[in-house]
Amino acid sequence: MSFLTLTHLEKSFGANRVVKDFNLSVEKGEFISLLGPSGCGKTTVLRMVAGFETPTAGGITIDGRDVTSLKANSRNIGMMFQAYALFPNMTVADNVAFGLRVKGVPRAERDARVAEMLALIGLSEMGGRFPFQLSGGQQQRVALARALAPRPSVLLLDEPLSALDAKVRVSLRNQIRQIQQDLGITTIFVTHDQEEAMSISDRIVVMNGGVADQVGAPFEIYNRPRTKFVANFVGTLNTFEVRVTDPATGRVALAGQDLTLPDAPLSARTGETLTVALRPEALRLGRLADAEALLPAKVTDVHFMGSVIRLRADVAGTDVSLDTFNRPDTPPPTVGSMIEVSLSGRDFIQLRA
Amino acid sequence: MTRFFAWGTFLLGCLFFALPLIGMTEFSLKMRRGEYSFDAYRRVFEDQRFWDTFSYSLILAAATIVVGVLLVVPTAYWVRLKLPQARPVIEFITLLPLVIPAIVIVFGYIRLYNTSSFLPLTGSALGTDILLTMGYTTLALPYMYRSVDTGLRTIDVATLTEAAQSLGAGWITILSRIILPNVMVAVLSGAFLTLAIVLGEFTMAALLNRPAFGPFMQLLGANRAYEPPALAVIAFAITWGCMGLMQLVTRFSKHERAKA
Ligand SMILES: Nc1ncnc2c1ncn2[C@@H]1O[C@H](COP(=O)(O)OP(=O)(O)OP(=O)(O)O)[C@@H](O)[C@H]1O
Ligand SMILES: [Mg+2]
């Protein structure tokens, strides 16, 4: 049995069903992200795990123990909030010590643990400061230390980085991941930032309207999205209309070129059109030896983003995005110029609604 | 031009408030014929009844503040946390003491708690003191509730509560270690207002026949010429001292500066 399990979890506020039949098993030490648009119920799921909301139906177990009806203050869970939520009347050290004090940990052990935690987040010098004397990033690190000090069994983070500026956000997320791996603590991380979720998670739960659309490793979620929603929410997607020529082997035609789709047999019949999707990086600039097809395209827009150049182009009557790496010796194509793009049927993604 | 009128109005207002005070102070210094002296003040301070009533009222004020804080802080906190829709109702209730005259309250008390009632509080001095404390608490309720509620507005009550709960804290710990310290400035300003109210209160203490400062001031005022204004100046000084303390506390509380 998994370390943390959520089974058939439901939550309604009045007539509003916010979380519907939510199932998730988290292994010990795993880092899981709940990813989804605003209002899809991420926070509600997290709050049910923390004990701040009572599920309308379903159950939660932690380490084999049913905690569904256990009070929040006896679940031994560490929580980090978007708004830091440090106690403004206490110093950094007292904030970190709070959970230990509540537990009645003896003074010497408490001081040692606080020192250890402050060292872990790299703020050893700041124990005597008050929260308002720290930057946002430092406050959030203190909040992490405070959550971890009582050695919780699960760490819950609700968009802890969204109040910080971009640079701090990236460095702190890496720090959180590093600490999480060092301590081997089971973690659920809520975010609506797909890049954030993909870069630090073991697995991602993509949520949509209160249900878990897909659960999987970042690579799987990105490359094999199972629903239109997941595909569109995670990353950019180009969609093409293709005509099915042989459903059994997955052969289709796109602008006179033959392509073989993965996951044959296809659900559509011969002669029908099928909507398939392709990531921008699967459309490649120029003539490639291993590509199945080559199509002419007209560049309509060029975004130079540094290491990556994102082009918009008209391919076979469809407006698409395609990515190419910057090369110092080759300037990017200009708007209006004609280019050739290579693509392969195996990179296409078939989506169910 | 607008500035001129603004300053003019301001000065006029100052005069309106200051002149009677200056006059009163001046008069209180004139006990000795032909020269200014503190004779009237000395007389007041030499009067044992001044010290007795003053310390009695101070003790009752302290009791009132404790009861008020214990009543108001958890209530205001709970309402903010769990019953935000009930706030208008609670606010209305806390305003009632401003509308209902103290004399009505005290007659109600006497009727309910007289010596032949189920709870004969007026039968003993201690019982009457308890009754008086409750009365004072009621009178101070509008001020106490408002300052505490305003104090709670400056902190994120819900998130701080949840943060503390996730760290294992129960309600008592949350209230005493997180909520109360964070609204301490507000509680103190409520406390100083309470002190000022209790020190000056006459009706309840007189009708319950307790030796409080208010009735003493009245007694002195009815029988002497120079001492009453001296006493009034002393009372003013105490009130202003309270206000000054309120300001000081606000200025010097370390973490409060963050929210300013
Ligand atoms: N206490 C509540 N009472 C009523 N409705 C609520 C309550 N809490 C949340 N909801 C509703 O539940 C839905 C999901 O809310 P939730 O906070 O879980 O979303 P979220 O995925 O965390 O969104 P965001 O990314 O904006 O934080 C929303 O439509 C919200 O209006
Ligand atoms: Mg949320």
Side-chain angles (χ1 to χ4, degrees):
Chain A
M1 188 162 165
S2 300
F3 187 71
L4 169 67
T5 65
L6 315 181
T7 32
H8 304 297
L9 216 52
E10 299 261 347
K11 180 69 192 180
S12 306
F13 293 106
N16 185 10
R17 272 177 86 206
V18 170
V19 174
K20 299 161 201 159
D21 194 25
F22 189 91
N23 294 286
L24 181 66
S25 297
V26 185
E27 298 307 321
K28 195 168 171 64
E30 213 180 357
F31 192 114
I32 297 275
S33 288
L34 302 185
L35 177 66
S38 188
C40 70
K42 308 180 293 289
T43 298
T44 307
V45 169
L46 204 71
R47 290 172 58 80
M48 287 193 279
V49 177
F52 299 137
E53 303 282 0
T54 316
T56 312
I60 302 168
T61 68
I62 298 175
D63 204 3
R65 191 161 71 121
D66 186 351
V67 299
T68 315
S69 51
L70 206 62
K71 283 206 191 100
N73 60 2
S74 28
R75 287 195 188 189
N76 193 27
I77 272 172
M79 180 112 187
M80 241 171 114
F81 303 83
Q82 183 177 340
Y84 319 142
L86 294 179
F87 306 130
N89 56 315
M90 296 182 199
T91 61
V92 165
D94 285 341
N95 262 284
V96 176
F98 184 84
L100 303 169
R101 217 170 247 152
V102 169
K103 274 190 173 175
V105 175
R107 173 99 199 228
E109 193 188 333
R110 200 168 69 207
D111 290 349
R113 187 94 60 84
V114 169
E116 179 196 330
M117 285 297 142
L118 289 180
L120 192 67
I121 56 162
L123 291 178
S124 294
E125 310 301 308
M126 311 237 170
R129 292 211 192 170
F130 281 93
F132 77 90
Q133 296 167 314
L134 301 180
S135 73
Q138 290 169 334
Q139 288 191 49
Q140 201 54 301
R141 273 143 76 194
V142 174
L144 177 65
R146 181 181 68 177
L148 291 174
R151 300 201 201 289
S153 52
V154 178
L155 179 64
L156 306 176
L157 308 99
D158 192 357
E159 308 205 24
L161 305 173
S162 50
L164 304 170
D165 69 64
K167 262 223 162 68
V168 180
R169 199 150 64 210
V170 172
S171 87
L172 188 51
R173 85 180 180 210
N174 294 334
Q175 205 177 359
I176 289 176
R177 174 61 159 161
Q178 187 66 52
I179 291 173
Q180 183 267 336
Q181 284 177 321
D182 288 350
L183 300 181
I185 184 165
T186 312
T187 302
I188 303 184
F189 182 94
V190 163
T191 180
H192 55 245
D193 182 333
Q194 38 138 334
E195 185 205 320
E196 201 166 277
M198 285 196 284
S199 67
I200 57 175
S201 314
D202 291 316
R203 282 192 299 154
I204 296 175
V205 180
V206 183
M207 288 185 66
N208 177 24
V211 277
D213 252 28
Q214 190 173 354
V215 183
F219 181 85
E220 194 184 327
I221 295 275
Y222 186 79
N223 292 303
R224 292 278 159 255
R226 280 214 307 266
T227 67
K228 264 208 178 85
F229 174 81
V230 174
N232 279 312
F233 190 75
V234 181
T236 313
L237 215 55
N238 300 305
T239 49
F240 292 94
E241 302 274 311
V242 294
R243 198 167 43 77
V244 178
T245 50
D246 183 4
T249 56
R251 285 169 67 79
V252 296
L254 170 65
Q257 305 260 356
D258 270 339
L259 296 166
T260 311
L261 299 186
D263 306 326
L266 304 176
S267 54
R269 286 195 296 267
T270 309
E272 284 182 341
T273 56
L274 195 64
T275 306
V276 289
L278 203 58
R279 294 289 183 199
E281 63 272 22
L283 274 168
R284 285 178 295 176
L285 197 59
R287 206 175 276 262
L288 266 88
D290 63 339
E292 248 184 307
L294 188 69
L295 290 168
K298 186 174 179 197
V299 178
T300 56
D301 210 354
V302 179
H303 288 284
F304 186 77
M305 304 197 293
S307 64
V308 171
I309 301 163
R310 174 157 291 184
L311 305 174
R312 289 202 79 83
D314 187 333
V315 177
T318 315
D319 185 35
V320 299
S321 279
L322 69 120
D323 287 353
T324 178
F325 281 113
N326 171 48
R327 287 226 309 269
D329 55 351
T330 327
T334 51
V335 174
S337 62
M338 292 302 294
I339 52 170
E340 284 180 309
V341 293
S342 302
L343 60 152
S344 296
R346 61 174 177 274
D347 294 330
F348 278 91
I349 302 165
Q350 290 180 63
L351 305 169
R352 61 177 165 81
Chain B
M1 208 53 193
T2 23
R3 271 182 79 88
F4 176 78
F5 273 116
W7 277 106
T9 323
F10 179 69
L11 281 179
L12 216 65
C14 282
L15 281 181
F16 181 78
F17 284 109
L19 274 181
L21 280 178
I22 294 169
M24 182 177 75
T25 313
E26 205 247 351
F27 182 73
S28 74
L29 296 171
K30 271 185 166 167
M31 194 166 184
R32 208 175 291 175
R33 198 171 294 262
E35 59 173 318
Y36 286 132
S37 72
F38 286 102
D39 281 7
Y41 293 86
R42 217 188 52 233
R43 284 274 194 87
V44 169
F45 287 131
E46 276 170 356
D47 192 334
Q48 186 55 38
R49 287 173 304 168
F50 169 82
W51 295 108
D52 289 347
T53 56
F54 188 66
S55 47
Y56 175 83
S57 284
L58 270 188
I59 292 168
L60 250 68
T64 306
I65 289 164
V66 171
V67 174
V69 169
L70 288 181
L71 183 73
V72 168
V73 173
T75 310
Y77 166 70
W78 199 253
V79 168
R80 269 201 175 263
L81 192 65
K82 301 274 180 182
L83 302 165
Q85 67 277 18
R87 265 187 69 206
V89 179
I90 302 286
E91 270 188 16
F92 176 74
I93 292 172
T94 61
L95 277 178
L96 285 179
L98 291 182
V99 188
I100 300 169
I103 194 155
V104 174
I105 299 175
V106 82
F107 272 118
Y109 279 175
I110 291 171
R111 255 193 91 86
L112 270 176
Y113 303 110
N114 62 37
T115 41
S116 54
S117 73
F118 68 104
L119 192 62
L121 281 176
T122 56
S124 66
L126 181 67
T128 317
D129 288 346
I130 291 172
L131 211 50
L132 192 52
T133 306
M134 296 306 148
Y136 286 160
T137 308
T138 312
L139 287 186
L141 195 60
Y143 308 98
M144 198 51 133
Y145 184 83
R146 239 149 225 78
S147 32
V148 169
D149 197 49
T150 311
L152 286 174
R153 189 160 18 189
T154 64
I155 56 172
D156 186 347
V157 171
T159 316
L160 288 183
T161 300
E162 286 179 356
Q165 277 181 321
S166 72
L167 292 164
W171 293 117
I172 304 217
T173 312
I174 293 174
L175 270 168
S176 62
R177 303 278 316 276
I178 316 273
I179 301 301
L180 190 59
N182 278 306
V183 297
M184 209 51 194
V185 172
V187 166
L188 281 177
S189 63
F192 289 130
L193 285 171
T194 307
L195 180 64
I197 291 169
V198 170
L199 283 184
E201 208 283 331
F202 170 77
T203 318
M204 287 193 171
L207 286 172
L208 288 173
N209 197 23
R210 296 303 294 152
F213 193 55
F216 171 67
M217 283 201 283
Q218 191 275 339
L219 183 76
L220 209 60
N223 301 308
R224 301 289 179 81
Y226 295 99
E227 286 91 335
L231 199 55
V233 170
I234 293 166
F236 258 111
I238 293 168
T239 314
W240 284 348
C242 287
M243 299 223 188
L245 280 178
M246 246 154 80
Q247 292 295 323
L248 272 185
V249 168
T250 317
R251 183 104 24 106
F252 285 106
S253 66
K254 274 172 287 179
H255 59 272
E256 289 294 325
R257 265 176 300 176
K259 297 183 226 149

